[in-house]
Amino acid sequence: MKQSKILIPTKREAPSDAEALSHIMMERAGYIYQLSAGVWSYLPMAYRVIRKVEQIIREEMDKVNAYEMQIPSMLPAELWQQTGRYEAYGDNLYKFSDRNDRGFVLGPTDEEPITAILRDSIKSYKKLPLVVYQITDKFRDEGRPRYGILRGKEFSMYDGYSFSADQEGLDEAYNDQAKAYRNIFDRIGLDYKVILADSGTIGGDNSQEFSAPAEVGEDIIAYTDGGYAANIEKATSKFTGVQQTAAPAELTKKATKGAHTVDEAAESLGIAADQILKAMFFMAKMGEDDYQPVMVLMRGNDKVNETKVTNALDCEELELATEEDAQKYLGAHPGSLGPVGVGKEVKILADNYVKVLVNMACGANDDGFHYINANIDRDFRVDEFGDFRNVREGDIAPDGNPIKFTNGIEIGHIFKLGTGYSEKLGAQVLDKNGRQVDMIMGCYGIGVTRLLSAVAEQNADENGLVWPDSIAPFDVHVIPVNAKKDDQMAMADELEGKLTAAGYEVLVDDRKERAGVKFADSDLIGIPLRVTIGKKAADGIVEVKIRKTGETIEVKQEELVNTVGILLKQLKSPADEQE
């Protein structure tokens, strides 16, 4: 294939708004083009990578008897209303009406339609278990698109769904998907971790996330050298608090003008930050138009884990309270809030580490004032203790090892959904005893387009992209240094023919550009091997450069095909070599 015939609009400069290396290099290399914030076009080189990722997914899904289908992106709103997600999904859900005023959504995920399809198609346990999937575009009205294609408003996903009549069938499908995911990510050449994760708006009680460590990522992975790994929302640590034994002192109110943070209050009061209660005030949506004010107490600079609080309250949404809410229920602004004197209408949760503290400082619900020597039960109540904090780096994980942090990109997620969707949508089958039972569901997702970001984050360098051969847009980049020289162009055509006949995908840079431009573009677009046809073409010698390492070797023209085969084999991941 000739480079002059392909749209590859490379750029010398990085886009001004780019934060992530993957965003910078994919835009500079002419792989992606932004039409609007969070809305991207995938140009020919990126599209070739996407198609290779999709092919790997299809091959691995064939092995576990998962079969492809297609669901529309435009979905009837009533399905989402039946499950309660029409409102619960929040502002991220695209909603619109047709000319007949019938409501629709653009699907960010497809539990509702696939459940309806199976409900109307399967009536007996004898047809189960069954696993179906699709690879299609999804839509999310992302409030803050960032990191290029990593967090956008439209994106491509693999999403699979399993249906069974018993727990055994669910477990089998779940384990098969987990195995297929490992094979997919191994073949693509990704470094990844399998971590415990919260199920979020998808639902279910059991889920695992596959996350790719990267310099830039939307997740924080808490992990240990012993094998423990969890999303920061799900991570837990061993409780190591020690009960303080000081005698309770007199509750005293002190002026702390201008002290709105824990550190400012600690400095003003002359006490340690971990002896101060941080009070976070939330409004928990318990049902339609039913909101519960909730205060969450933390030790010092511990951070509230909103997912843990949401799960403990079993609420639909948890929102940080407004200043108006704080004034209404507590009579003060955020920065001066605390539990002393709070009425029963406000539920008070406290992290376990608060339980061991004595003589704490806290906001006095009076702007510019704090209490010192506040004590549980004597001065304020706690309705519920629990693990409501984000773990800290260095905490001891459940496996007994210290926790470390790394940024991560979520590349896949698998869920045991149970019967939540089938109950609400009436998806039942007759079991072997002739009784109606709800289908037991699993849900499985892989971010196809975000895999490009993950691979780029882990492999790109200062010169451009570096694609693993399994998903590279081409295997070999042939560059005649001077396209005006007939002997170089003739050799390029001959080598292209031989390499193509041997089964390799070849891109020939036939452009009438300077050699420096061609080499810079070649590094940018990141094809695994570069073959340079230069001054020694007359002697039948070419130079081969390995993009990943920068290593170069000279090869005789007649030995090139064998050399390419050897080098590409060395670059393949062990998983892909087994195919």
Side-chain angles (χ1 to χ4, degrees):
M1 189 167 293
K2 300 298 190 285
Q3 193 164 337
S4 64
K5 305 297 183 183
I6 304 179
L7 177 63
I8 313 177
T10 56
K11 301 176 182 177
R12 299 276 78 84
E13 301 296 328
S16 59
D17 60 340
E19 302 174 66
L21 181 63
S22 57
H23 179 185
I24 293 169
M25 291 309 177
M26 277 196 284
E27 198 163 346
R28 282 192 58 203
Y31 277 65
I32 57 177
Y33 178 86
Q34 182 172 275
L35 288 170
S36 178
V39 181
W40 294 88
S41 290
Y42 298 91
L43 304 185
M45 297 292 277
Y47 200 61
R48 291 178 69 91
V49 176
I50 289 169
R51 285 289 171 257
K52 292 190 175 184
V53 170
E54 291 176 347
Q55 184 58 30
I56 290 173
I57 292 173
R58 289 185 173 102
E59 289 170 3
E60 294 302 327
M61 288 303 148
D62 283 348
K63 294 177 184 177
V64 294
N65 296 312
Y67 295 102
E68 191 170 9
M69 61 179 291
Q70 191 73 42
I71 298 171
S73 296
M74 189 173 77
L75 306 173
E78 57 258 33
L79 282 175
W80 282 67
Q81 290 163 347
Q82 287 179 53
T83 62
R85 290 209 300 173
Y86 189 77
E87 295 296 337
Y89 214 87
D91 293 336
N92 283 347
L93 187 63
Y94 281 104
K95 304 173 183 178
F96 62 100
S97 299
D98 66 8
R99 66 179 66 191
N100 297 314
D101 205 30
R102 185 183 181 192
F104 288 89
V105 303
L106 288 179
T109 180
D110 282 323
E111 285 77 13
E112 281 85 356
I114 193 62
T115 304
I117 291 169
L118 268 289
R119 174 196 65 198
D120 297 337
S121 304
I122 302 295
K123 301 300 181 183
S124 170
Y125 78 97
K126 295 179 181 179
K127 299 289 186 179
L128 301 177
L130 192 67
V131 183
V132 293
Y133 75 91
Q134 61 177 344
I135 300 176
T136 191
D137 282 354
K138 303 290 189 180
F139 301 87
R140 179 178 57 208
D141 192 2
E142 180 65 54
R144 192 188 174 200
R146 61 188 309 203
Y147 303 144
I149 63 173
L150 183 57
R151 184 179 284 262
K153 295 186 175 184
E154 181 177 355
F155 47 94
S156 178
M157 276 194 67
Y158 155 90
D159 58 322
Y161 303 92
S162 67
F163 294 81
S164 61
D166 52 35
Q167 187 65 37
E168 183 180 354
L170 171 62
D171 292 343
E172 179 182 351
Y174 185 88
N175 293 335
D176 282 347
Q177 288 289 306
K179 179 181 178 182
Y181 276 40
R182 288 180 170 86
N183 290 342
I184 290 164
F185 301 140
D186 287 344
R187 289 180 61 184
I188 288 172
L190 273 169
D191 174 27
Y192 63 94
K193 293 182 181 293
V194 184
I195 65 177
L196 300 173
D198 186 73
S199 297
T201 57
I202 299 294
D205 298 323
N206 195 332
S207 74
Q208 287 180 300
E209 180 182 314
F210 293 74
S211 186
E215 285 293 320
V216 172
E218 74 271 72
D219 291 336
I220 296 176
I221 305 171
Y223 72 99
T224 71
D225 294 335
Y228 176 82
N231 187 300
I232 191 68
E233 297 173 339
K234 192 76 171 180
T236 60
S237 60
K238 291 187 176 181
F239 180 71
T240 57
V242 178
Q243 179 63 52
Q244 295 180 352
T245 57
E250 182 182 355
L251 182 69
T252 305
K253 189 175 182 179
K254 289 196 170 187
T256 51
K257 186 177 181 180
H260 301 293
T261 68
V262 167
D263 289 336
E264 289 168 350
E267 183 178 354
S268 177
L269 295 169
I271 61 176
D274 274 352
Q275 200 63 23
I276 291 180
L277 279 185
K278 176 164 61 180
M280 299 295 292
F281 194 46
F282 298 95
M283 299 300 291
K285 184 178 181 181
M286 310 304 294
E288 189 173 353
D289 299 325
D290 178 18
Y291 286 86
Q292 166 71 58
V294 179
M295 179 179 285
V296 183
L297 305 178
M298 309 298 291
R299 171 193 61 175
N301 284 313
D302 277 346
K303 294 183 178 179
V304 174
N305 186 312
E306 293 185 22
T307 298
K308 293 178 181 178
V309 174
T310 299
N311 292 339
L313 294 171
D314 194 23
C315 62
E316 294 180 4
E317 291 180 51
L318 186 72
E319 300 174 354
L320 200 61
T322 64
E323 289 196 11
E324 291 76 11
D325 291 327
Q327 283 282 2
K328 175 182 177 181
Y329 290 100
L330 303 173
H333 292 92
S336 299
L337 306 182
V340 176
V342 173
K344 292 286 187 179
E345 70 275 10
V346 177
K347 186 165 188 175
I348 301 179
L349 307 183
D351 184 71
N352 290 326
Y353 278 92
V354 172
K355 190 186 300 186
V356 301
L357 300 180
V358 175
N359 296 332
M360 295 164 269
C362 62
N365 294 325
D366 186 358
D367 292 341
F369 290 89
H370 278 71
Y371 283 117
I372 60 171
N373 303 325
N375 288 279
I376 299 169
D377 293 337
R378 187 193 72 177
D379 303 308
F380 65 92
R381 74 178 202 283
V382 172
D383 296 314
E384 182 181 341
F385 287 98
D387 176 13
F388 300 124
R389 67 192 276 273
N390 281 342
V391 297
R392 292 183 181 182
E393 209 163 2
D395 284 354
I396 302 302
D399 68 357
N401 293 295
I403 288 174
K404 301 177 182 180
F405 284 171
T406 182
N407 290 328
I409 297 171
E410 182 182 353
I411 53 176
H413 212 143
I414 58 177
F415 305 83
K416 288 185 177 180
L417 292 180
T419 60
Y421 290 92
S422 53
E423 285 177 0
K424 292 174 181 175
L425 293 172
Q428 288 86 35
V429 293
L430 290 174
D431 68 8
K432 58 185 177 182
N433 297 314
R435 296 176 300 184
Q436 289 275 3
V437 295
D438 294 318
M439 294 190 201
I440 304 174
M441 294 175 57
C443 168
Y444 317 97
I446 294 174
V448 173
T449 44
R450 68 172 29 223
L451 281 174
L452 275 63
S453 286
V455 172
E457 284 294 323
Q458 291 186 351
N459 293 279
D461 59 24
E462 67 275 9
N463 296 316
L465 301 167
V466 184
W467 294 109
D469 179 57
S470 59
I471 60 171
F474 293 91
D475 300 307
V476 184
H477 198 183
V478 175
I479 299 182
V481 172
N482 190 342
K484 296 178 181 179
K485 290 193 173 184
D486 292 340
D487 62 332
Q488 291 187 18
M489 293 306 296
M491 180 181 283
D493 288 341
E494 182 181 348
L495 294 179
E496 179 186 13
K498 289 181 177 179
L499 288 166
T500 301
Y504 301 113
E505 294 176 315
V506 183
L507 178 66
V508 178
D509 190 346
D510 60 331
R511 299 174 301 161
K512 293 179 174 59
E513 293 279 4
R514 292 180 292 106
V517 172
K518 291 186 174 185
F519 294 151
D521 282 352
S522 181
D523 283 344
L524 265 178
I525 65 181
I527 295 170
L529 298 179
R530 183 175 85 196
V531 176
T532 302
I533 302 171
K535 295 179 180 179
K536 294 186 179 182
D539 301 323
I541 295 175
V542 297
E543 179 187 85
V544 180
K545 176 182 177 181
I546 302 171
R547 175 65 182 89
K548 185 174 183 179
T549 64
E551 178 186 358
T552 60
I553 56 174
E554 289 189 343
V555 178
K556 291 181 179 179
Q557 178 181 354
E558 60 270 19
E559 296 175 356
L560 180 63
V561 173
N562 286 336
T563 301
V564 165
I566 292 169
L567 293 176
L568 289 178
K569 186 175 182 180
Q570 292 173 353
L571 292 173
K572 284 185 183 294
S573 69
D576 207 44
E577 271 197 81
Q578 296 172 9
E579 293 303 308

